[in-house]
Amino acid sequence: MVNGDYAYPSTMNVESVHRVAIPPPQPFLKSLKYSMKETFFPDDPLRKFKNQSASRKFVLALQHFLPILEWAPKYTIQFLKSDLIAGITIASLAIPQGISYAKLANLPPILGLYSSFIPPLIYAMMGSSRDLAVGTVAVGSLLMASMLGREVNPNENPKLFLHLAFTATFFAGALQLSLGLFRLGFIVDFLSHAAIVGFMGGAATVVCLQQLKSILGLEHFTHKADIVSVMSSVFTQTREWRWESAVLGCCFIFFLLVTRYISKQRPKLFWVSAMAPLTSVILGSLLVYLTHAEKHGVQVIGELKKGLNPPSATDLVFVSPYMGTAIKTGLIIGIIALAEGIAVGRSFAMFKNYHIDGNKEMIAFGTMNMLGSLTSCYLTTGPFSRSAVNYNAGCKTAASNIVMSIAVMLTLLFLTPLFHYTPLVVLAAIIVSAMLGLIDYQAAIHLWKIDKFDFLVCFSAYIGVVFGSVEIGLVIAVALSVLRVLLFVARPRTFVLGNIPNSSAYRNVEHYPNAHHVPGILILEIDAPIYFANASYLRERITRWIDEEEERLEGAGKTSLEYVIVDMTAVANIDTSGISMLEEFKKSVDRKGLQLVLVNPGSEVTKKLNKSKFLDEIGHKWLYVTVEEAVGVCSFMLGTHKANPKKDEPEGLNSV
């Protein structure tokens, strides 16, 4: 029985072997409470309320929903100086971006300014991020234009299209608020990093292509978002191209990209890139005004209404057939806005080493979008470009959003007439320069190097957006991400373990080629919970491991297989299908004359196996805390008893 690769102990102290304990029974309600808490309250938000007076609990509750009440009492003059500079800086970016993105959404340009006034004020009171700068985003604007445009033509019926935009924003906010209140934010996590990279890159590509309408000065353009339709629309109208507009657009794109490059190379010059869009608007407006370029094919914004946000509560559309479209659009843009805003907020929180509450963020986003829809605003979130400027400008608190909001308010009250001569090509250039930063090809290359399936998810989402539509790309991204989760669950990894020489460690023989097989014993590890989705696969895979091991031993002329040890350390849970699988598997190994041994099943697994009587069936003496102990006992029996252990078991081991 002795094998040169492994020497089993000649003596075995049975009393030193540790038994797997059966966890004490827990009341059903207590177990349910624990499971619910871990699912919906992993951050334990009620911990700070323990042992507090009623008045203190009331104050803490207010601070939970209105974080401004927590940081405002500690606010200092130094904070004000930093937030003032940051707020003015992001306002210079928010004003031209807001107008540009509103045009992208096929909405009146003034809505971009409205959406940069009310929502930032609400977020400053309710948001938990110090660095997030709130405003409209290109991807959300494109999604809204694409989805609503299929139901209502914005040129033929602009009023209804506007009302549907408010309604979609309302439903987006309602979804976000509901996810936050019911603590369902984990749903957003189904959008993987790879899916977001591909989706954002595809959406940015489509947005850039659609700006060819303004850059080339075209009046008639396709409402479709796919690359084939866009390029077909561009090249079938070559006679309508305006060289004046094209030259102007290329010059401003070059200017904006150069300023961004300067700011990236020298972070202290962040203000160069931040001020570039407003500078472009001013220069473009002056150029058009002085040369009367609007009479030579250069399209301009035209008149913008002065004044603050008018109410729009009565404009919401809650009747068929349009309500269904508004709900569908709201749900999709709401999820995308959440994913982007929370991801951006967490990124900057990591840089400054503080924590943001995802559920608070969802409540803040939902509230600002719902109230925004009632005050002539459309979808807002925390865009990366604006937040990056806010971060680099040295903001200290969310008060920078208040400063930005005040600057936008002053613009709405006094400065809107100055935008009359702003050329649309400048707005297109601003959008193109911002979108190029979202095409993260370096992240795609990184995904290819690290994980080919993640790259496939990324690339598929990109292709889906560019050649299909934004919705198709989103569906592909989510579907592939969910498919990968299902594959992880349905096809868990199993390993053959071997003994590392001169140690008591047992590791994967593929990972550690020098790990030795233990004679007469097959050691397997299951690396996932056992559920109905993977139970059949695991039974078949483990049976195949046994067959392969028996063939290997037979071919090598070594000791026949007697024991199958299954390390269940990584099996956190098991359902009834998994238990049935183990029962069937045990019968299978019994027919082969083998002994099944389990190692270190988790507490939940042990409780369920005990309640199902499986432990009685297998025998408690065949449960061990470590692989080392299991191998020691099995090797001891192999060395002292040549007969089948199932037929001739020593009485001394019955107490193990």
Side-chain angles (χ1 to χ4, degrees), residues 203 403 571:
V403 176
V571 182

Side-chain angles (χ1 to χ4, degrees), residues 281-482:
V281 168
I282 294 172
L283 291 176
S285 300
L286 286 174
L287 184 62
V288 170
Y289 179 76
L290 295 175
T291 62
H292 301 288
E294 76 277 11
K295 298 179 181 179
H296 300 281
V298 177
Q299 301 171 351
V300 297
I301 289 179
E303 183 181 357
L304 291 181
K305 293 187 296 184
K306 291 175 64 174
L308 300 181
N309 302 31
S312 57
T314 57
D315 296 335
L316 300 183
V317 181
F318 295 124
V319 295
S320 59
Y322 304 113
M323 185 176 173
T325 301
I327 293 175
K328 176 184 174 183
T329 304
L331 295 180
I332 292 178
I333 63 177
I335 289 290
I336 292 298
L338 266 187
E340 181 175 358
I342 292 177
V344 170
R346 285 175 176 169
S347 298
F348 290 110
M350 181 180 64
F351 293 149
K352 288 188 177 179
N353 195 28
Y354 70 93
H355 173 72
I356 68 169
D357 188 327
N359 289 292
K360 283 184 183 178
E361 292 296 283
M362 286 184 275
I363 292 173
F365 288 159
T367 304
M368 73 184 187
N369 278 314
M370 289 186 72
L371 294 180
S373 69
L374 305 180
T375 54
S376 299
C377 303
Y378 79 103
L379 184 74
T380 52
T381 184
F384 179 80
S385 58
R386 204 176 298 187
S387 301
V389 170
N390 194 33
Y391 172 83
N392 289 324
C395 68
K396 299 299 182 183
T397 67
S400 58
N401 278 287
I402 298 176
V403 176
M404 176 187 68
S405 183
I406 293 172
V408 173
M409 178 191 72
L410 295 175
T411 302
L412 285 168
L413 289 174
F414 306 110
L415 303 179
T416 50
L418 299 179
F419 293 97
H420 183 281
Y421 290 100
T422 301
L424 297 184
V425 66
V426 171
L427 302 182
I430 292 171
I431 292 175
V432 169
S433 65
M435 290 300 96
L436 290 177
L438 292 180
I439 304 175
D440 196 349
Y441 64 90
Q442 292 180 334
I445 294 173
H446 181 71
L447 291 173
W448 172 259
K449 292 179 179 178
I450 303 300
D451 192 317
K452 300 298 188 293
F453 192 92
D454 266 355
F455 176 80
L456 175 63
V457 172
C458 174
F459 185 70
S460 299
Y462 180 87
I463 293 298
V465 173
V466 172
F467 287 94
S469 66
V470 178
E471 302 97 290
I472 291 175
L474 179 61
V475 169
I476 290 174
V478 174
L480 287 175
S481 297
V482 173

Side-chain angles (χ1 to χ4, degrees), residues 588-643:
S588 175
V589 297
D590 285 347
R591 286 193 293 269
K592 290 176 176 286
L594 306 177
Q595 175 62 54
L596 177 63
V597 182
L598 301 183
V599 171
N600 196 30
S603 60
E604 282 297 314
V605 177
T606 304
K607 282 194 293 185
K608 291 181 180 180
L609 293 180
N610 185 55
K611 289 180 180 179
S612 67
K613 305 300 182 181
F614 180 75
L615 296 187
D616 294 335
E617 184 179 342
I618 193 177
H620 288 263
K621 59 181 173 294
W622 298 115
L623 260 70
Y624 298 95
V625 175
T626 66
V627 174
E628 179 189 6
E629 290 183 345
V631 171
V633 171
C634 295
S635 297
F636 171 73
M637 295 182 63
L638 281 171
T640 56
H641 297 271
K642 294 185 179 181

Side-chain angles (χ1 to χ4, degrees), residues 576-595:
T576 53
S577 298
I579 296 173
S580 297
M581 181 275 288
L582 289 179
E583 291 171 346
E584 293 175 15
F585 176 65
K586 183 185 181 302
K587 293 176 183 177
S588 175
V589 297
D590 285 347
R591 286 193 293 269
K592 290 176 176 286
L594 306 177
Q595 175 62 54

Side-chain angles (χ1 to χ4, degrees), residues 96-105 136-138 141 378 385 431 434-435:
Q97 267 193 355
I99 295 173
S100 304
Y101 293 159
K103 289 291 294 180
L104 179 62
T136 55
V137 287
S141 301
Y378 79 103
S385 58
I431 292 175
M435 290 300 96

